[in-house]
Structure formats: structure tokens, C-alpha cells
Amino acid sequence: MSIIWTWSLKRCPGPIFVEYHFKFRQLLRYCTGGRYAGLTKKMAEKPDVLIVGAGFAGMYAIHRFRSLGLSVHAFEAGTDVGGTWYWNRYPGARCDVPSLEYSFGFSEELEQEWIWPEVFSAQPDILEYANHVAERFDLRRDITFNTVVTEISWQEDNHQWRLTTDQGDTFEAPFCVMATGCLSVPNKPDLPGADTFKGRVLHTGLWPKEEVDLTGLRVGIIGTGSSGVQAVPELARLAGHLTVFQRTPVYTVPANRKRMNETVQNEFKDNYRQVRELQQNNLRGISNFRPMRNVEVNRNSVAPRGEGPMIKEMTPEEQHRYIKERGLESIYSFGDIYFDLEANEIANELFRDTIRTIVRSPTVAEKLLPKDYGLGCKRPVLDRDFYETFNRDDVELVDLRATPIETITEQGIQTTERHYELDVLIYATGFDAMTGALLKSNISGRDGFKLAEKWQYGPVTYLGLQMRGFPNLFTVTGPGSPSVLCNMLVAIEQHVNWIGDCIDYLRKTGTRVIEPLEASEERWIVHVNEVAEGTMYTVPSCNSWYLGANIEGKPRIFMPYVGGFPRYRFQCEQEAASGYEGFALG
Ligand code: N01
């Protein structure tokens, strides 16, 4: 392993002094002239693999690749690990996958020692877990924080990827792994007058680390997706007055709020190998493991998604009773609502009927009811008192379909109907999902071919792992893989393991480069589209971020692989077993 130094001279017009600092075991560079005088960079090594991002994907990649004897280095824009859970600190942020399932399975010690306080974890608990993983496996020593990768380019002459950072430094390695996350580039709509607002502006996906005091303030929030729905009840409790600006009503169902039952947690721990096996063979990477010890059997427990009765075979009375006995969340369990539009609409109406019984004002209730798209088109949203919050006197709902925003003003928001005075404006307007972070990294492959050009009509990948023309570049949970439709930690582990094994194979066989064959990419894209067709995800009435529909000008393509995790995993395993037949090796 060699130690290399590269830097951008344009950032330092004077001489550069380099010294080794024994106390910190770091090589320090000092720029002696111009604006950048002072310390500019610490020591770097030339690793085998460069990793972009230190969320769960980047963190596991560091650990896994190290265990294969590879040297690694990761770059992270934040000041610490955690990715999504580092940035999304808004009040109410939580995971919608059970804690015991949303955890790493690669270390039995980690599984046994960690204690989850709640059935569905809150953001601070998941971030604490990420910090624990970073410490336990000593990950931070291979991460440069506070650093944004601004350009990534393939160097054909020496078969290396070159990364340039916003610090003006460049690094090279034969392999590059994009662990940049699926929901990491916040979408902030370009509303007229947005810059004129004199109050505080926040985005749920970039929430500050320090506490935000909203006491007595007039708060406005734009957006009612998963983030908005989770934030609204908490903001209502914290603020003086809350105005919710809603463009599209959402289908949201109550989240499980239980504290963790110790017996259940222990039973999971005793059966974690079985739990992991079940995850590997479940469409969404969820084991649905049901503990049996000392737990009261609930006859009305909620069946997994799509595994309950057919709604069309039930009378209206039976449908209502089903929801009443099991809770609104059981609406997702009906077996026929995902492929049959008629069944879907019956469930939609059942949902609406239920909400009408929760929200006291019939006018507000009608505004909150989705009517032009169906259940199952978007990712299910889980809430804690979302609808009940609109029964509060200090919470107001603005229907932006009826009265759109005209402009943001110095004091608030002007709609076509009236002006809303605000002290704080919160954007809960989502993300440029799945492709946003990859395109933002400004990647160019062989012959300077830009990823943005390759993807101008939508993402083209093989297995969501690699792109032709971009040798030795891998994406973790990239478009075309189950990614966001799967338990992310299960998807991440499978991808990182596959990439690690692939790099290991290349080293052992003396192969320098790998990239997909054109035919493999074409076959995979056709397949990804075929399996999405005929589902509620792609019906014309559906406009979701899965389709890129939330970003103006983004091609409308269903990006994740909906064929299920086991089927996908089988394809990946077949590739490896065949000696990477679907790839060109050189
Ligand atoms: O983003 P979204 P999100 N004017 O895109 C509105 C994960 N997640 O951050 O639908 C007015 O779903 C937009 O309206 P419309 C999870 O995978 C998980 O909430 O475009 N409104 C919509 O209401 C989730 O699916 C959790 O008409 C505008 C909202 O902003 C994903 O992240 C928690 C607008 C955006 O909703 C994204 O969720 C949080 C405009 N110009 C997030 N532009 C868990 O529970 C956008 N909107 C684990």
C-alpha cells in the first residue's frame, strides 16, 4: 500500500509545506500564500477501494472490504456516520421497518449486544446504533468527514477511478463504490419569492443538529409525504400555531407505538439465524418472525401486506368490521388491492370512511382524503396522530390544489386565497430519489462519457449494481435493484457482499476491470419494466418518487426492482456462480 499526495494547486497560490505530525500521526499540509493559508488537509492513503458515503451502506462496505484484505477509504459530507439517519433529525422522524429487522445481520455479537427500546425506532435510536457500529468496528479511521465528492472520473491509462472533493483534493483507486443512498438529495421546490422570506427556513431532510426551539412560533410546513406526516403532530405540540400546506392528500395508517417487549427481543436474539434466513426469502426482506414465548396470541393481528383476505369477497359490513377489529393499518393486508383496480377502489373508500370518523370537521376531513390515486401506488406512510392533529384549534390545513401558492413573501406564504404569516417555514418536500446523489457526483466513465448522458432517458444499470461504460464502479442499492422496496439493511448487506466477492474474484483471477455487457443491461431493463407493469405502482394515476414524478423534468421510469428480493438475489448469485457471464472482464 503506497502513500500518495495530490492536491489542487489552484487553491494554493503560494508554496506548500508538508510535515509529518508525530503526535497525531498525520501528514499535514500548509498553504503559505493566498486565501487558503493554513492547514488544508490531513494524511491520505491510496486504497484499493474508494467509497462515497458513510451511511449504513458505506459503513458496512468499509467493514466487509477490510475483512477481505482490501484497503478502503470513504468520504462523507456530514460530520459523522449515519447517512439518512444523520440528516433526517426532524421531530417525529422514525423508521417504518421494525427495529429488530432493521439491523445488521453480519455480526452475531452486534445482534446480541444491541438493545432496541421501541418496536419501531425513532431517529435518535437508529443514529445511536450507527455510532455504536462505527465504534465497535473502528470504522471512522477510514472515513474523511465534512467532505463532498464533486467529481468522479475513470482514468483509462492506469485503470483507476479519480475522485475530486470540494476541498480541492483528488484521490485514486482501482475500484469505486457509490454508497450515496436512495433518499439523500433533498428536493426544495423553486417557489416564487422563496429567497425573500425573512423567517427561518428548514428542510426535514437537512434538519439542524442543535435543538430548534419553536415555542410560541407560527410554523408553516409544505408537504405531506412520510416526512411531513411524521413531523406534523410533533410540530403541532412544539409550535404556537401550525399551518400545513398540502398539495396531495396521503394514505397514512397508525404506526405501532409499543415499547420493546424484552421477551420478544430475547426470542429474536435466540433465533436471529432463522430471522435472517426468512429475510433472505421474503419479497421485502422482512422475516415476519412471530415470537411465541409468553406473548398473548392476538387473533386479530395484522396479516403481512397482501397476505390477508380478498376485499372483493367480503360484504361492506365485513370490511368495516375487519378494519375496526384490526386497525386501519390492516388495510394493506387485503390480497387483491395491488393488482385489481376495482378491489383497490373498494379499499380506498374504506380508508376514506375511516378517516371521516376521526377528523371532526367534515370540510377538513374531505380535504385530507386522497381521491385521485389508490392505496399501494406510493410507499405506505405510518403516522402517530396525524389525522387527530387536525382536530386541534392551533392547526390549520391549506389545500394547495384548491388555493395554490402564488408566492413566498417576506412574512409568509401568499396563496390564491389569502396570506399566511409565518415565523418558520419547513419544507417536507422529499428527495431527488435514487438517481439524485449519483448524478450529483458528476461521474464520467470511459472516454469521458457522463453518467448524466447515459441516464438522460432514465437510469440504465445491470442489477442496479453496475453500468456499462463505467468499469469497476459499483452502486449500492442502485436503481434497478429492490432497494427502497426492500428492508434497506438487508438490501445493503446483500449488495456489499456481492461487490466485495466480485472484487475478491477479480483480484484472485488477475482481472483488472469489470463492466456489464450491453445485452445484460438491456435484458435487465426490460425485465425491471415488465415486473412493474400491471401493479398499482405504475398505473397512470400514480405519481410517486419511485417514478421520478416528484422532480420536474425527471424521466418517468419506475426505478426500483419490484420482482422481489429473493428473485433478485438469485439473479446476482447466478452471475457470481457463472464467473460473471453477464459482464465483460478484462
Ligand atoms: O417526501 P415525499 P418525504 N408544492 O416525496 C410535497 C422515506 N421516508 O420526505 O405529492 C407543494 O413522499 C409533495 O406533494 P405532491 C420514505 O421512503 C421514510 O415525505 O408532490 N407541495 C408531498 O406531499 C418516503 O416515501 C420515513 O403533490 C410539494 C411532499 O412534498 C420518502 O422518504 C420518513 C411541492 C413530499 O413527499 C420520501 O418521503 C420519512 C410543491 N412545489 C421519509 N413539492 C419513514 O417513515 C413537493 N411537495 C421511515
Short mmCIF file of all heavy atoms in Angstrom, two decimals, residues 216-268:
data_model
loop_
_atom_site.label_atom_id
_atom_site.label_comp_id
_atom_site.label_asym_id
_atom_site.label_seq_id
_atom_site.Cartn_x
_atom_site.Cartn_y
_atom_site.Cartn_z
N GLY A 216 -44.09 28.92 20.78
CA GLY A 216 -44.86 30.15 20.53
C GLY A 216 -44.79 30.66 19.09
O GLY A 216 -45.39 31.69 18.77
N LEU A 217 -44.06 29.95 18.23
CA LEU A 217 -43.87 30.47 16.86
C LEU A 217 -44.96 29.99 15.90
O LEU A 217 -45.57 28.93 16.09
CB LEU A 217 -42.50 30.05 16.33
CG LEU A 217 -41.29 30.56 17.11
CD1 LEU A 217 -39.99 30.08 16.48
CD2 LEU A 217 -41.30 32.09 17.20
N ARG A 218 -45.14 30.80 14.84
CA ARG A 218 -46.09 30.42 13.77
C ARG A 218 -45.28 29.65 12.73
O ARG A 218 -44.42 30.20 12.06
CB ARG A 218 -46.72 31.66 13.14
CG ARG A 218 -47.56 32.47 14.11
CD ARG A 218 -47.77 33.86 13.61
NE ARG A 218 -46.51 34.56 13.40
CZ ARG A 218 -46.40 35.81 12.93
NH1 ARG A 218 -47.48 36.48 12.61
NH2 ARG A 218 -45.22 36.37 12.75
N VAL A 219 -45.60 28.34 12.65
CA VAL A 219 -44.81 27.46 11.78
C VAL A 219 -45.67 27.02 10.60
O VAL A 219 -46.84 26.69 10.75
CB VAL A 219 -44.34 26.22 12.59
CG1 VAL A 219 -43.62 25.22 11.68
CG2 VAL A 219 -43.45 26.65 13.74
N GLY A 220 -45.07 27.04 9.41
CA GLY A 220 -45.74 26.51 8.23
C GLY A 220 -44.95 25.34 7.69
O GLY A 220 -43.71 25.36 7.72
N ILE A 221 -45.62 24.29 7.25
CA ILE A 221 -44.91 23.14 6.67
C ILE A 221 -45.52 22.83 5.30
O ILE A 221 -46.76 22.76 5.17
CB ILE A 221 -44.92 21.92 7.62
CG1 ILE A 221 -44.15 20.74 6.98
CG2 ILE A 221 -46.32 21.48 8.01
CD1 ILE A 221 -43.84 19.61 7.95
N ILE A 222 -44.66 22.69 4.30
CA ILE A 222 -45.11 22.33 2.95
C ILE A 222 -44.79 20.86 2.73
O ILE A 222 -43.63 20.46 2.85
CB ILE A 222 -44.41 23.17 1.86
CG1 ILE A 222 -44.61 24.66 2.10
CG2 ILE A 222 -44.90 22.77 0.47
CD1 ILE A 222 -43.87 25.56 1.11
N GLY A 223 -45.82 20.06 2.39
CA GLY A 223 -45.57 18.65 2.09
C GLY A 223 -46.17 17.72 3.11
O GLY A 223 -46.02 17.92 4.32
N THR A 224 -46.87 16.71 2.60
CA THR A 224 -47.50 15.71 3.48
C THR A 224 -47.17 14.30 2.99
O THR A 224 -48.06 13.45 2.84
CB THR A 224 -49.03 15.92 3.55
OG1 THR A 224 -49.52 16.04 2.21
CG2 THR A 224 -49.40 17.14 4.34
N GLY A 225 -45.88 14.05 2.70
CA GLY A 225 -45.42 12.68 2.46
C GLY A 225 -45.04 12.07 3.80
O GLY A 225 -45.45 12.57 4.86
N SER A 226 -44.21 11.04 3.80
CA SER A 226 -43.83 10.37 5.07
C SER A 226 -43.23 11.35 6.06
O SER A 226 -43.55 11.32 7.26
CB SER A 226 -42.80 9.28 4.81
OG SER A 226 -43.28 8.33 3.93
N SER A 227 -42.35 12.24 5.57
CA SER A 227 -41.67 13.18 6.49
C SER A 227 -42.68 14.15 7.09
O SER A 227 -42.70 14.37 8.31
CB SER A 227 -40.58 13.97 5.75
OG SER A 227 -39.70 13.12 5.11
N GLY A 228 -43.51 14.77 6.22
CA GLY A 228 -44.49 15.74 6.69
C GLY A 228 -45.46 15.10 7.68
O GLY A 228 -45.74 15.67 8.75
N VAL A 229 -45.92 13.90 7.34
CA VAL A 229 -46.91 13.22 8.19
C VAL A 229 -46.32 12.91 9.57
O VAL A 229 -47.00 13.01 10.59
CB VAL A 229 -47.39 11.92 7.47
CG1 VAL A 229 -48.03 10.96 8.46
CG2 VAL A 229 -48.36 12.28 6.36
N GLN A 230 -45.04 12.54 9.60
CA GLN A 230 -44.42 12.26 10.90
C GLN A 230 -44.18 13.56 11.68
O GLN A 230 -44.30 13.59 12.90
CB GLN A 230 -43.07 11.57 10.69
CG GLN A 230 -43.20 10.12 10.29
CD GLN A 230 -41.84 9.44 10.20
OE1 GLN A 230 -40.82 10.08 9.99
NE2 GLN A 230 -41.83 8.13 10.35
N ALA A 231 -43.82 14.62 10.96
CA ALA A 231 -43.45 15.86 11.64
C ALA A 231 -44.68 16.63 12.16
O ALA A 231 -44.60 17.25 13.24
CB ALA A 231 -42.65 16.75 10.69
N VAL A 232 -45.78 16.59 11.41
CA VAL A 232 -46.93 17.45 11.74
C VAL A 232 -47.40 17.31 13.20
O VAL A 232 -47.51 18.33 13.91
CB VAL A 232 -48.08 17.23 10.72
CG1 VAL A 232 -49.43 17.68 11.26
CG2 VAL A 232 -47.75 17.96 9.41
N PRO A 233 -47.65 16.09 13.71
CA PRO A 233 -48.14 16.03 15.10
C PRO A 233 -47.13 16.58 16.11
O PRO A 233 -47.51 17.24 17.09
CB PRO A 233 -48.36 14.53 15.33
CG PRO A 233 -48.48 13.94 13.96
CD PRO A 233 -47.61 14.77 13.07
N GLU A 234 -45.85 16.33 15.86
CA GLU A 234 -44.81 16.82 16.78
C GLU A 234 -44.70 18.34 16.70
O GLU A 234 -44.58 19.02 17.72
CB GLU A 234 -43.45 16.19 16.44
CG GLU A 234 -43.39 14.71 16.71
CD GLU A 234 -43.72 14.36 18.14
OE1 GLU A 234 -43.23 15.06 19.04
OE2 GLU A 234 -44.48 13.40 18.36
N LEU A 235 -44.72 18.87 15.48
CA LEU A 235 -44.63 20.33 15.32
C LEU A 235 -45.82 21.01 15.98
O LEU A 235 -45.68 22.07 16.59
CB LEU A 235 -44.58 20.69 13.83
CG LEU A 235 -43.33 20.22 13.06
CD1 LEU A 235 -43.50 20.47 11.56
CD2 LEU A 235 -42.07 20.91 13.57
N ALA A 236 -46.98 20.39 15.86
CA ALA A 236 -48.18 20.98 16.46
C ALA A 236 -48.00 21.09 17.98
O ALA A 236 -48.42 22.06 18.61
CB ALA A 236 -49.41 20.13 16.14
N ARG A 237 -47.33 20.07 18.56
CA ARG A 237 -47.09 20.10 20.02
C ARG A 237 -46.07 21.17 20.39
O ARG A 237 -46.16 21.79 21.45
CB ARG A 237 -46.58 18.73 20.50
CG ARG A 237 -47.71 17.72 20.61
CD ARG A 237 -47.22 16.34 21.01
NE ARG A 237 -48.22 15.38 20.56
CZ ARG A 237 -48.00 14.38 19.72
NH1 ARG A 237 -46.80 14.17 19.26
NH2 ARG A 237 -48.99 13.60 19.34
N LEU A 238 -45.10 21.40 19.50
CA LEU A 238 -43.99 22.30 19.83
C LEU A 238 -44.27 23.77 19.51
O LEU A 238 -43.79 24.67 20.19
CB LEU A 238 -42.73 21.88 19.06
CG LEU A 238 -42.15 20.49 19.39
CD1 LEU A 238 -41.11 20.09 18.34
CD2 LEU A 238 -41.53 20.51 20.77
N ALA A 239 -45.03 24.01 18.44
CA ALA A 239 -45.18 25.38 17.93
C ALA A 239 -46.34 26.12 18.59
O ALA A 239 -47.18 25.51 19.26
CB ALA A 239 -45.39 25.32 16.42
N GLY A 240 -46.38 27.42 18.34
CA GLY A 240 -47.52 28.21 18.80
C GLY A 240 -48.73 27.94 17.90
O GLY A 240 -49.86 27.78 18.36
N HIS A 241 -48.46 27.89 16.59
CA HIS A 241 -49.52 27.63 15.62
C HIS A 241 -48.90 26.94 14.42
O HIS A 241 -47.78 27.27 14.02
CB HIS A 241 -50.18 28.94 15.18
CG HIS A 241 -51.35 28.73 14.27
ND1 HIS A 241 -51.21 28.58 12.90
CD2 HIS A 241 -52.67 28.59 14.53
CE1 HIS A 241 -52.39 28.37 12.38
NE2 HIS A 241 -53.31 28.38 13.34
N LEU A 242 -49.61 25.97 13.86
CA LEU A 242 -49.06 25.23 12.72
C LEU A 242 -50.01 25.33 11.53
O LEU A 242 -51.22 25.08 11.66
CB LEU A 242 -48.86 23.76 13.10
CG LEU A 242 -48.29 22.87 11.98
CD1 LEU A 242 -46.84 23.22 11.67
CD2 LEU A 242 -48.39 21.39 12.36
N THR A 243 -49.44 25.68 10.37
CA THR A 243 -50.23 25.66 9.13
C THR A 243 -49.62 24.60 8.21
O THR A 243 -48.42 24.65 7.92
CB THR A 243 -50.19 27.03 8.42
OG1 THR A 243 -50.50 28.04 9.38
CG2 THR A 243 -51.20 27.08 7.29
N VAL A 244 -50.45 23.66 7.78
CA VAL A 244 -49.98 22.56 6.93
C VAL A 244 -50.42 22.85 5.49
O VAL A 244 -51.63 22.93 5.21
CB VAL A 244 -50.56 21.21 7.41
CG1 VAL A 244 -50.04 20.07 6.54
CG2 VAL A 244 -50.22 20.97 8.88
N PHE A 245 -49.44 23.02 4.61
CA PHE A 245 -49.73 23.29 3.20
C PHE A 245 -49.65 21.96 2.45
O PHE A 245 -48.58 21.41 2.25
CB PHE A 245 -48.73 24.31 2.62
CG PHE A 245 -48.83 25.65 3.28
CD1 PHE A 245 -48.08 25.95 4.42
CD2 PHE A 245 -49.71 26.62 2.79
CE1 PHE A 245 -48.18 27.19 5.04
CE2 PHE A 245 -49.82 27.87 3.40
CZ PHE A 245 -49.05 28.15 4.53
N GLN A 246 -50.83 21.46 2.06
CA GLN A 246 -50.91 20.13 1.46
C GLN A 246 -51.30 20.22 -0.01
O GLN A 246 -52.30 20.83 -0.36
CB GLN A 246 -51.96 19.30 2.20
CG GLN A 246 -52.33 18.00 1.52
CD GLN A 246 -53.65 17.45 1.98
OE1 GLN A 246 -53.70 16.67 2.93
NE2 GLN A 246 -54.74 17.86 1.35
N ARG A 247 -50.47 19.60 -0.89
CA ARG A 247 -50.85 19.57 -2.30
C ARG A 247 -51.60 18.28 -2.61
O ARG A 247 -52.67 18.30 -3.19
CB ARG A 247 -49.60 19.71 -3.18
CG ARG A 247 -49.94 19.90 -4.64
CD ARG A 247 -48.78 20.40 -5.43
NE ARG A 247 -47.70 19.42 -5.54
CZ ARG A 247 -46.57 19.64 -6.18
NH1 ARG A 247 -46.35 20.80 -6.76
NH2 ARG A 247 -45.63 18.71 -6.23
N THR A 248 -51.00 17.14 -2.20
CA THR A 248 -51.66 15.86 -2.45
C THR A 248 -51.94 15.17 -1.12
O THR A 248 -51.01 14.92 -0.35
CB THR A 248 -50.75 14.95 -3.32
OG1 THR A 248 -50.38 15.68 -4.49
CG2 THR A 248 -51.46 13.68 -3.72
N PRO A 249 -53.21 14.84 -0.86
CA PRO A 249 -53.50 14.11 0.38
C PRO A 249 -52.83 12.74 0.35
O PRO A 249 -52.54 12.20 -0.71
CB PRO A 249 -55.02 13.96 0.37
CG PRO A 249 -55.52 14.90 -0.67
CD PRO A 249 -54.43 15.09 -1.66
N VAL A 250 -52.60 12.19 1.53
CA VAL A 250 -51.80 10.98 1.66
C VAL A 250 -52.64 9.88 2.30
O VAL A 250 -53.59 10.16 3.02
CB VAL A 250 -50.56 11.32 2.52
CG1 VAL A 250 -50.93 11.71 3.93
CG2 VAL A 250 -49.53 10.23 2.51
N TYR A 251 -52.34 8.63 1.96
CA TYR A 251 -52.91 7.50 2.72
C TYR A 251 -51.93 7.20 3.83
O TYR A 251 -50.80 6.77 3.57
CB TYR A 251 -53.01 6.25 1.84
CG TYR A 251 -54.05 6.30 0.76
CD1 TYR A 251 -53.70 6.61 -0.55
CD2 TYR A 251 -55.39 6.01 1.03
CE1 TYR A 251 -54.65 6.64 -1.57
CE2 TYR A 251 -56.35 6.03 0.01
CZ TYR A 251 -55.97 6.35 -1.27
OH TYR A 251 -56.91 6.38 -2.26
N THR A 252 -52.31 7.44 5.06
CA THR A 252 -51.40 7.09 6.16
C THR A 252 -52.15 6.31 7.23
O THR A 252 -53.33 6.57 7.50
CB THR A 252 -50.69 8.34 6.75
OG1 THR A 252 -50.05 7.97 7.97
CG2 THR A 252 -51.63 9.50 7.00
N VAL A 253 -51.46 5.34 7.80
CA VAL A 253 -52.09 4.45 8.79
C VAL A 253 -51.29 4.50 10.09
O VAL A 253 -50.10 4.82 10.07
CB VAL A 253 -52.17 3.00 8.26
CG1 VAL A 253 -52.99 2.92 6.99
CG2 VAL A 253 -50.78 2.40 8.05
N PRO A 254 -51.94 4.19 11.21
CA PRO A 254 -51.25 4.31 12.51
C PRO A 254 -50.05 3.38 12.62
O PRO A 254 -50.10 2.21 12.23
CB PRO A 254 -52.32 3.91 13.53
CG PRO A 254 -53.61 4.04 12.81
CD PRO A 254 -53.35 3.79 11.36
N ALA A 255 -48.96 3.94 13.15
CA ALA A 255 -47.75 3.15 13.39
C ALA A 255 -47.89 2.40 14.71
O ALA A 255 -48.64 2.80 15.59
CB ALA A 255 -46.55 4.09 13.47
N ASN A 256 -47.16 1.31 14.82
CA ASN A 256 -47.06 0.58 16.08
C ASN A 256 -46.21 1.43 17.03
O ASN A 256 -45.09 1.78 16.71
CB ASN A 256 -46.37 -0.77 15.79
CG ASN A 256 -46.20 -1.61 17.03
OD1 ASN A 256 -46.02 -1.09 18.13
ND2 ASN A 256 -46.26 -2.91 16.86
N ARG A 257 -46.75 1.78 18.21
CA ARG A 257 -46.00 2.67 19.11
C ARG A 257 -45.50 1.94 20.34
O ARG A 257 -45.19 2.57 21.35
CB ARG A 257 -46.88 3.80 19.64
CG ARG A 257 -47.95 4.26 18.79
CD ARG A 257 -48.75 5.26 19.60
NE ARG A 257 -49.54 6.05 18.70
CZ ARG A 257 -49.86 7.31 18.93
NH1 ARG A 257 -49.45 7.92 20.00
NH2 ARG A 257 -50.60 7.96 18.07
N LYS A 258 -45.47 0.63 20.30
CA LYS A 258 -45.15 -0.10 21.53
C LYS A 258 -43.69 0.00 21.92
O LYS A 258 -42.81 0.03 21.07
CB LYS A 258 -45.51 -1.58 21.33
CG LYS A 258 -47.00 -1.81 21.28
CD LYS A 258 -47.29 -3.29 21.32
CE LYS A 258 -48.78 -3.51 21.11
NZ LYS A 258 -49.07 -4.59 20.23
N ARG A 259 -43.46 0.03 23.23
CA ARG A 259 -42.12 -0.15 23.75
C ARG A 259 -41.72 -1.59 23.46
O ARG A 259 -42.58 -2.45 23.30
CB ARG A 259 -42.09 0.06 25.29
CG ARG A 259 -42.53 1.41 25.77
CD ARG A 259 -41.60 2.52 25.44
NE ARG A 259 -40.23 2.32 25.94
CZ ARG A 259 -39.20 3.06 25.56
NH1 ARG A 259 -39.37 4.03 24.68
NH2 ARG A 259 -38.00 2.85 26.04
N MET A 260 -40.42 -1.85 23.38
CA MET A 260 -39.97 -3.21 23.09
C MET A 260 -40.27 -4.12 24.27
O MET A 260 -40.02 -3.76 25.42
CB MET A 260 -38.47 -3.20 22.81
CG MET A 260 -37.92 -4.54 22.39
SD MET A 260 -38.59 -5.12 20.84
CE MET A 260 -37.69 -4.09 19.68
N ASN A 261 -40.84 -5.27 23.98
CA ASN A 261 -41.07 -6.29 24.99
C ASN A 261 -39.79 -7.13 25.09
O ASN A 261 -39.31 -7.68 24.10
CB ASN A 261 -42.27 -7.14 24.53
CG ASN A 261 -42.55 -8.31 25.43
OD1 ASN A 261 -41.63 -8.98 25.90
ND2 ASN A 261 -43.82 -8.58 25.64
N GLU A 262 -39.24 -7.19 26.30
CA GLU A 262 -37.94 -7.85 26.48
C GLU A 262 -37.98 -9.31 26.03
O GLU A 262 -37.03 -9.83 25.43
CB GLU A 262 -37.54 -7.75 27.95
CG GLU A 262 -36.06 -7.87 28.15
CD GLU A 262 -35.69 -7.91 29.62
OE1 GLU A 262 -36.41 -7.32 30.44
OE2 GLU A 262 -34.68 -8.56 29.92
N THR A 263 -39.11 -9.97 26.32
CA THR A 263 -39.22 -11.39 25.96
C THR A 263 -39.17 -11.55 24.44
O THR A 263 -38.53 -12.46 23.91
CB THR A 263 -40.57 -11.95 26.49
OG1 THR A 263 -40.74 -11.51 27.81
CG2 THR A 263 -40.61 -13.45 26.40
N VAL A 264 -39.85 -10.63 23.75
CA VAL A 264 -39.85 -10.69 22.28
C VAL A 264 -38.43 -10.46 21.75
O VAL A 264 -37.94 -11.20 20.89
CB VAL A 264 -40.82 -9.63 21.71
CG1 VAL A 264 -40.66 -9.51 20.20
CG2 VAL A 264 -42.26 -9.95 22.08
N GLN A 265 -37.77 -9.44 22.31
CA GLN A 265 -36.42 -9.13 21.86
C GLN A 265 -35.49 -10.34 22.09
O GLN A 265 -34.71 -10.70 21.21
CB GLN A 265 -35.88 -7.91 22.61
CG GLN A 265 -34.47 -7.54 22.25
CD GLN A 265 -34.26 -6.03 22.13
OE1 GLN A 265 -33.95 -5.54 21.08
NE2 GLN A 265 -34.45 -5.31 23.21
N ASN A 266 -35.63 -10.97 23.25
CA ASN A 266 -34.76 -12.13 23.55
C ASN A 266 -35.06 -13.28 22.60
O ASN A 266 -34.15 -14.00 22.18
CB ASN A 266 -34.96 -12.58 25.00
CG ASN A 266 -34.33 -11.57 25.95
OD1 ASN A 266 -33.45 -10.80 25.53
ND2 ASN A 266 -34.76 -11.56 27.19
N GLU A 267 -36.34 -13.44 22.29
CA GLU A 267 -36.68 -14.56 21.39
C GLU A 267 -36.11 -14.32 19.99
O GLU A 267 -35.66 -15.24 19.31
CB GLU A 267 -38.20 -14.75 21.34
CG GLU A 267 -38.54 -16.07 20.69
CD GLU A 267 -39.98 -16.50 20.88
OE1 GLU A 267 -40.68 -15.95 21.74
OE2 GLU A 267 -40.41 -17.39 20.11
N PHE A 268 -36.12 -13.06 19.57
CA PHE A 268 -35.48 -12.71 18.29
C PHE A 268 -33.99 -13.06 18.38
O PHE A 268 -33.43 -13.67 17.47
CB PHE A 268 -35.64 -11.21 18.00
CG PHE A 268 -36.67 -10.92 16.95
CD1 PHE A 268 -38.01 -10.91 17.28
CD2 PHE A 268 -36.30 -10.64 15.64
CE1 PHE A 268 -38.98 -10.63 16.31
CE2 PHE A 268 -37.26 -10.37 14.67
CZ PHE A 268 -38.60 -10.35 15.01
#
